[in-house]
């Protein structure tokens, strides 16, 4: 009788182990899906916020102007911007960037540069459905003061 109970328990244990193994695999897959979803959302946000036209900015690598796409700005240099293609060629310091703008002296040492995706006030997004930041109109000195006093801006709040 006891041997029958042990035999029945042995049959249940492999089935339970199989169920536990499937649950562990399912949990691992769900974690990977959640990580991939988070990465995709991050990339979409980055694309909406940084992918577009950068008027008045030229690439220091290939000389393209205006920059269209991602703009990479060096945080260590005063005025050093490259387009997405030149940044890919540079390969985070493993490649090389040509300097098509002869008037600007640039270091080719990777330690001298730290490129980050960048945008400024002149940025125009190319992604549909993205709201642009509203342009705040500057009050001119001879216009009525926005505080409602009725005086000119230069005589009221513009002092």
């Amino acid at each position: 009788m006891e041997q029958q109970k042990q035999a029945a328990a042995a049959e249940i244990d492999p089935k339970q182990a199989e169920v536990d193994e499937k649950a562990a695999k399912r949990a691992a897959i769900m974690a990977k899906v959640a990580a991939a979803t988070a990465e995709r959302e991050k990339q979409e946000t980055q694309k909406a916020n940084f992918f577009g036209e950068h008027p008045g900015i030229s690439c220091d690598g290939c000389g393209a102007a205006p920059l269209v796409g991602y703009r990479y700005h060096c945080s260590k240099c005063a005025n050093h911007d490259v387009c997405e293609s030149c940044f890919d060629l540079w390969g985070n310091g493993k490649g090389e960037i040509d300097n098509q703008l002869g008037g600007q002296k640039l270091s080719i040492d990777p330690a001298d540069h730290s490129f980050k995706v960048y945008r400024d006030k002149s940025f125009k997004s190319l992604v549909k459905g993205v709201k642009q930041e509203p342009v705040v109109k500057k009050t001119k000195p001879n216009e009525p003061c926005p505080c409602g006093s009725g005086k000119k801006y230069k005589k009221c709040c513009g002092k």
Side-chain angles (χ1 to χ4, degrees), residues 112-124:
D112 293 341
H113 301 290
S114 176
F115 288 105
K116 305 274 187 225
V117 179
Y118 185 78
R119 74 174 189 170
D120 58 4
K121 291 181 181 178
S122 65
F123 170 77
K124 296 176 186 170

Side-chain angles (χ1 to χ4, degrees), residues 50-59 62 64-72 82-85 123-126:
F50 297 103
F51 188 84
E53 183 179 350
H54 304 272
I57 306 297
S58 60
C59 176
C62 62
L67 282 183
V68 177
Y70 290 110
R71 170 186 175 189
Y72 292 89
V82 293
C83 65
E84 188 175 2
S85 338
F123 170 77
K124 296 176 186 170
S125 180
L126 295 178

Side-chain angles (χ1 to χ4, degrees), residues 10 22-23 29 35 63 67 70-71 86 89 96-97 100 104 115 121-122 124 133 141 143 153:
K22 285 183 180 179
I29 290 171
L67 282 183
Y70 290 110
R71 170 186 175 189
C86 292
L89 287 173
E96 203 173 291
I97 296 179
Q100 297 295 328
Q104 191 174 10
F115 288 105
K121 291 181 181 178
S122 65
K124 296 176 186 170
E133 295 177 12
E143 291 180 354
Y153 179 71

Side-chain angles (χ1 to χ4, degrees), residues 29-110:
I29 290 171
M30 294 301 285
K32 287 180 182 179
V33 167
T37 302
E39 181 64 26
R40 186 177 68 239
E41 288 174 0
K42 178 182 170 188
Q43 288 176 353
E44 287 174 2
T45 302
Q46 181 179 356
K47 185 173 184 178
N49 290 331
F50 297 103
F51 188 84
E53 183 179 350
H54 304 272
I57 306 297
S58 60
C59 176
D60 296 335
C62 62
L67 282 183
V68 177
Y70 290 110
R71 170 186 175 189
Y72 292 89
H73 181 76
C74 180
S75 58
K76 295 181 180 179
C77 300
N79 184 16
H80 189 39
D81 299 294
V82 293
C83 65
E84 188 175 2
S85 338
C86 292
F87 181 76
D88 291 341
L89 287 173
W90 186 62
N92 231 3
K94 295 175 183 75
E96 203 173 291
I97 296 179
D98 293 333
N99 185 3
Q100 297 295 328
L101 302 176
Q104 191 174 10
K105 301 289 184 203
L106 300 174
S107 169
I108 57 170
D109 183 14

Side-chain angles (χ1 to χ4, degrees), residues 8-20:
E11 288 177 18
I12 293 174
D13 286 341
K15 290 180 183 177
Q16 184 63 35
E18 187 178 321
V19 169
D20 292 343

